[in-house]
Structures are given as structure tokens and as C-alpha cells.
């Protein structure tokens, strides 16, 4: 049989890794796919640039539409990232009846509903394993491996940069800004660091995970997103003292009245495997009603780990490209006409436990005042740390852990606590999940 011709859009880290993996494992991959996969054409802005792969045998073009419009190309792999022109190119490929493989999380999170609708109308596939958690095959897990389950929740470390920063802050007691600079120098942070540290990158990925876990449309604009920029080495130390680690998590949970979709720093019991995922590694815990909790761990970025996911998608597409579209796995795991309109809950409705750090005057009755306000809002205290004042200081840190409570009740309590004359600075709170 003729090789399947693939066109690459982008020959950077992921594109270069894809060429390298296909060149090295081509025979093994052909045995799996049933046909040889051949990268026939690749778009690159600068054909002369040194790259991590050999481009021998690949026609290099400087206009991406030369790939998309080539009638010989059966699958377009979009690896340029960003929204435009990636969206136009992906839709252009779909209109021409080509299958698409993409690593573009922002594109899928923001425009996936439209892209999948067009792809279904044209009977082509759009595969996006590489868009979430790099080399971890979490899309396949949720879409196929756990298809017998009612998924209860998904919680993941899905941004390696945040995890690297929080790990280094904990291990070395360093401040956020200093460690961020190091992450940027090491090259795995996004071009705009706010995408990582403000949680936007994780929110893109969580949008995709939630859609395929619960069979809901992609709803990026409904994700609550909070970054890690306000986490201090002191918070990390106090959390450790109480038996917790602080992780940047993406959480999607099926609650009584809807779905929770949130990205934020979170205390996690130190004994959980997820709490022990360090550095740039990613990990996702999926709780299904039948299987219970399952954990998936691996590199969330990098040339060959991401290429591993891209090539797996190429193999999947090649295996079923001649099958009837109805017999393929649906893009969002559930049949398009069976998507649910479960609402995404506002944060006020979300229930979590909390870590609270206050700076208070060292005088009688302060703890009692704070405890009274919490009790008035039905918030139960789980643990307390109060440090002795340092010599010459009249203010002390007061750390509290609370039981689970609705965020709206905590908001009301915090507003009152901050008005107490003995409370000397805005209260600092971090959500806490036991992940039981
Ligand atoms: N900037 C991302 C991260 C890379 O740090 O995880 C992969 O999406």
C-alpha cells in the first residue's frame, strides 16, 4: 500500500520531535498503523534555521497554505501553536477533506466546538492528544480506556512550569520571581509567562479534559483561573508543617448541581502521590465510579514526549481513515448529539476546605474573634498554628485550616475577619483538597 502523506505545519520543538520519532521508529510505527507514514511536506518560516531533526526527503515550504492545499496530503499536523493563522489553516484543511492532528490546546479550548462541528460535517478526524499533558495519553484514557465509567472528578498537575516553580520554592525556600526566571531560562515556560503562572495554559487543558470527561461542550470562558504568583515560601512552609504540599491544580468535578471547573493553587495532603510529583512533570488523577482513582504521570512538554502523542494520533487516524465516520471515536468522547448541558457552577457554589494565613496583633482575644466569625458562617476549624512573635515584633502569623465550606460563605467570613482591628493585613487564603 502507498504511504500516507502527512503535511507538517511547524518544524520547531514539537514538529522537529515528530520528524525525529517518525524517522527513528518508522518501521515499528508502520507495523502498528498498517501503512507507512511519510512526512512529505513541511511549512517552516525559516528553511535555513538549524533544527533538531534531519529534513532530508521533506519538501520545505515557506507558505503554510502550500501544505493545506496540496491534494496529495491526507493528514495535516498543526504544530505552530497560537490561534491565528492556526485556526484558519485547520479549518482550511478540514474543508479540503483532510484529517488534522494538532498539539494546540488554546485552539481546541477556544474554537474546538466549531472545529469539531466542521470536521464532523466533512467526515474527517481532528486528533489532539498532544494538546493536554504532553506525552501522557490522557485523552485516550478518558475517551476510550475509562469509557465504562461515570467520571466523578479529574484533578491534575497540567502545567509543568508552575510545578517546577512550586517544587523549587519548597525544596530551596526561594521566592516565586527568582524561580520563574530560572524556568524561563530553561525554556519550558510559554513565550508569555503569564500563560503559565496565571493558570491560562492549565485552563486551556482543563477545558478539554472536562469536556471529554463529562460529555459537555468546551467552555474555556467558564473556567475559574487563579495563578501561583501570590504563593510565598512561608505558605509552602506552613503547609508542610500541617502535612500538605501546595500544587497548582486543574480540577473538574461533577457536583450535585453542575460541574466545577477551576484552576488554582491548592493544598494537597503530602501523602498523596499527586503531592509528590515534582519539577516539570505532569500528573492527572481521574476518579471513575467503577475503577476508583487512577493516576497518570509523565512529561507534559518537550520535543519527543509531545511528539509521542502527535505520532500516536497519526497512527490512530491512519488506522481508521477508511472507516465510516460513525464508527470512529467521537471527538469529545460522547456522541455530538448526546452532549450534556450541565451548568458550570459559579465559584460561590464550589465547596472546598481552606488554608487561611492572617497577620494579627499579638494580644488576647484575637483568635477567639476570628473563630467566632468562622463559627457564625458555619465554618469549622480543622487545625491552627500560631507562632510566637519575633523579638521586637507585635504582629504574629496565624494559620488556620478549615473544613469544607461553600466559597460564598468563606467570602463573607473573610470580609468580616479583615475588618477586625486586630487583623493587620489582607487575609491570604488557599483552597485545600484532600482528593479522597
Ligand atoms: N508551558 C507548558 C507547561 C508547556 O509548562 O506545562 C506544555 O503545554
Amino acid at each position: 500500500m502507498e504511504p500516507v502523506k502527512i503535511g507538517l505545519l511547524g518544524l520547531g520543538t514539537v514538529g522537529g520531535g515528530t520528524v525525529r520519532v517518525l524517522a527513528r521508529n518508522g518501521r515499528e510505527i508502520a507495523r502498528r498503523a498498517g501503512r507507512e507514514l511519510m512526512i512529505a511536506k513541511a511549512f517552516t518560516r525559516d528553511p535555513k534555521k538549524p533544527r533538531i531533526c534531519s529534513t532530508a526527503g521533506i519538501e520545505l515550504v515557506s507558505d503554510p497554505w502550500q501544505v493545506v492545499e496540496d491534494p496529495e496530503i491526507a493528514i495535516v499536523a498543526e504544530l505552530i501553536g497560537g490561534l491565528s493563522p492556526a485556526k484558519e489553516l485547520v479549518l482550511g484543511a478540514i474543508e479540503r477533506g483532510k484529517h488534522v492532528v494538532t498539539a494546540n490546546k488554546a485552539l481546541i479550548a477556544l474554537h474546538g466546538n466549531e472545529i469539531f462541528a466542521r470536521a464532523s460535517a466533512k467526515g474527517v478526524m481532528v486528533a489532539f492528544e498532544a494538546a493536554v499533558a504532553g506525552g501522557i495519553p490522557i485523552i485516550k484514557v478518558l475517551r476510550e480506556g475509562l469509557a465504562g465509567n461515570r467520571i466523578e472528578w479529574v484533578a491534575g498537575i497540567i502545567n509543568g512550569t508552575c510545578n517546577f516553580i512550586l517544587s523549587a520554592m519548597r525544596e530551596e525556600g526561594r521566592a516565586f520571581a527568582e524561580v520563574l526566571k530560572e524556568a524561563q531560562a530553561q525554556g519550558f515556560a510559554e513565550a508569555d509567562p503569564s500563560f503559565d503562572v496565571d493558570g491560562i495554559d492549565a485552563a486551556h487543558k482543563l477545558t478539554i479534559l472536562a469536556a471529554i470527561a463529562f460529555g459537555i461542550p468546551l467552555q474555556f470562558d467558564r473556567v475559574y483561573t487563579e495563578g501561583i504568583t501570590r504563593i510565598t515560601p512561608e505558605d509552602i512552609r506552613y503547609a508542610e508543617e500541617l502535612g500538605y504540599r501546595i500544587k497548582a491544580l486543574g480540577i473538574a468535578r461533577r457536583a450535585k448541581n453542575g460541574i466545577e471547573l477551576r484552576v488554582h493553587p491548592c493544598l494537597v495532603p503530602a501523602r498523596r502521590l499527586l503531592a509528590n510529583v515534582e519539577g516539570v512533570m505532569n500528573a492527572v488523577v481521574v476518579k471513575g465510579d467503577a475503577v476508583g482513582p487512577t493516576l497518570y504521570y509523565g512529561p507534559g512538554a518537550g520535543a519527543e514526549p509531545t511528539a509521542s502523542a502527535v505520532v500516536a494520533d497519526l497512527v490512530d487516524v491512519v488506522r481508521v481513515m477508511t472507516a465510516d465516520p460513525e464508527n470512529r471515536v467521537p471527538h469529545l468522547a460522547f456522541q455530538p448529539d448526546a452532549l450534556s448541558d450541565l451548568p458550570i457552577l459559579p465559584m460561590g457554589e464550589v465547596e472546598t476546605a481552606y488554608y487561611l494565613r492572617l497577620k494579627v496583633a499579638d494580644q488576647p482575644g484575637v483568635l477567639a474573634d476570628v473563630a467566632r466569625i468562622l463559627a457564625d458562617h458555619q465554618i469549622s476549624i480543622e487545625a491552627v498554628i500560631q507562632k510566637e512573635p519575633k523579638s521586637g515584633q507585635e504582629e504574629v502569623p496565624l494559620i488556620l485550616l478549615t473544613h469544607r465550606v461553600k466559597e460564598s460563605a468563606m467570602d463573607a467570613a473573610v470580609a468580616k475577619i479583615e475588618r477586625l482591628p486586630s487583623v493587620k493585613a489582607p487575609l491570604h487564603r488557599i483552597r485545600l483538597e484532600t482528593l479522597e
Side-chain angles (χ1 to χ4, degrees):
M1 219 189 287
E2 284 278 290
V4 180
K5 291 196 176 150
I6 296 159
L8 287 194
L9 299 176
L11 264 181
T13 305
V14 182
T18 302
V19 173
R20 223 158 61 180
V21 170
L22 268 175
R24 191 171 68 238
N25 300 341
R27 285 172 67 87
E28 196 91 346
I29 289 163
R31 284 170 58 213
R32 292 195 171 102
R35 282 173 79 174
E36 197 187 323
L37 278 65
M38 175 188 164
I39 298 179
K41 217 175 218 186
F43 155 70
T44 169
R45 281 189 192 92
D46 181 2
K48 299 226 166 61
K49 196 172 146 185
R51 44 191 93 253
I52 60 171
C53 61
S54 157
T55 53
I58 303 175
E59 184 187 346
L60 300 184
V61 295
S62 54
D63 174 4
W65 288 97
Q66 281 181 268
V67 174
V68 170
E69 288 169 352
D70 183 340
E72 293 276 299
I73 300 289
I75 309 171
V76 171
E78 183 278 300
L79 308 172
I80 50 177
L83 293 180
S84 185
K87 183 183 176 196
E88 294 79 3
L89 292 164
V90 163
L91 289 174
I94 291 169
E95 288 315 311
R96 288 163 182 80
K98 297 180 195 308
H99 305 286
V100 173
V101 169
T102 177
N104 193 329
K105 53 222 157 172
L107 180 68
I108 297 298
L110 272 76
H111 300 295
N113 296 322
E114 178 189 349
I115 289 170
F116 297 144
R118 286 309 305 151
S120 297
K122 297 297 286 188
V124 297
M125 285 170 275
V126 177
F128 51 93
E129 182 66 71
V132 183
I136 307 176
I138 191 66
I139 302 295
K140 202 165 196 67
V141 162
L142 282 168
R143 234 168 31 173
E144 299 176 49
L146 299 180
N149 287 261
R150 188 171 194 268
I151 304 296
E152 294 174 3
W153 52 263
V154 179
I157 294 172
I158 46 180
N159 183 273
T161 303
C162 285
N163 204 50
F164 172 86
I165 292 173
L166 291 174
S167 297
M169 286 174 72
R170 185 181 69 80
E171 282 161 16
E172 298 150 29
R174 288 157 71 200
F176 167 81
E178 194 188 316
V179 185
L180 170 62
K181 271 202 203 115
E182 188 183 321
Q184 284 171 307
Q186 292 200 14
F188 43 78
E190 297 290 309
D192 176 351
S194 70
F195 265 55
D196 291 308
V197 298
D198 292 340
I200 300 160
D201 174 77
H204 288 147
K205 296 166 183 167
L206 186 71
T207 302
I208 300 171
L209 291 178
I212 57 175
F214 304 123
I216 55 175
L218 295 150
Q219 298 169 75
F220 171 71
D221 55 348
R222 303 303 311 276
V223 183
Y224 171 81
T225 306
E226 183 183 309
I228 60 164
T229 51
R230 290 172 55 237
I231 302 293
T232 64
E234 292 75 54
D235 291 322
I236 293 174
R237 240 190 8 253
Y238 292 134
E240 276 224 293
E241 223 174 286
L242 291 157
Y244 293 83
R245 296 223 172 132
I246 300 179
K247 293 286 172 192
L249 295 189
I251 299 173
R253 188 195 303 269
R254 195 193 291 270
K256 218 169 25 205
N257 303 320
I259 302 285
E260 297 175 9
L261 269 188
R262 45 196 172 98
V263 169
H264 53 72
C266 194
L267 271 74
V268 178
R271 63 183 183 280
R272 295 263 175 271
L273 288 171
L274 197 64
N276 292 278
V277 171
E278 302 291 10
V280 293
M281 297 305 275
N282 281 200
V284 183
V285 181
V286 182
K287 170 90 190 307
D289 68 336
V291 70
T294 57
L295 170 71
Y296 309 89
Y297 169 85
E304 292 210 3
T306 313
S308 162
V310 170
V311 174
D313 272 350
L314 290 170
V315 170
D316 262 0
V317 170
V318 170
R319 278 177 178 150
V320 296
M321 59 199 279
T322 51
D324 285 343
E326 304 79 62
N327 296 331
R328 298 176 188 151
V329 181
H331 291 114
L332 289 179
F334 291 68
Q335 298 298 336
D337 58 0
L339 292 189
S340 147
D341 58 2
L342 272 172
I344 308 300
L345 295 176
M347 276 310 277
E349 290 296 305
V350 167
E351 221 184 76
T352 68
Y354 287 88
Y355 158 101
L356 308 176
R357 173 164 58 81
L358 295 94
K359 192 196 245 190
V360 296
D362 184 26
Q363 63 191 39
V366 174
L367 182 55
D369 289 344
V370 172
R372 168 55 44 215
I373 294 175
L374 291 174
D376 287 347
H377 291 84
Q378 307 299 316
I379 301 170
S380 173
I381 296 171
E382 166 103 19
V384 182
I385 305 181
Q386 192 197 316
K387 298 287 179 193
E388 288 174 340
K390 290 194 187 125
S391 71
Q393 276 188 3
E394 282 165 12
E395 289 159 356
V396 287
L398 174 62
I399 318 300
L400 300 163
L401 296 189
T402 76
H403 282 279
R404 293 177 76 79
V405 59
K406 266 201 186 154
E407 182 126 341
S408 52
M410 183 54 84
D411 289 342
V414 166
K416 281 195 191 146
I417 291 172
E418 286 181 336
R419 283 201 294 272
L420 289 172
S422 50
V423 172
K424 300 297 179 192
L427 180 154
H428 189 55
R429 64 173 139 164
I430 308 173
R431 296 174 189 86
L432 181 157
E433 292 286 352
T434 54
L435 301 179
E436 268 157 348

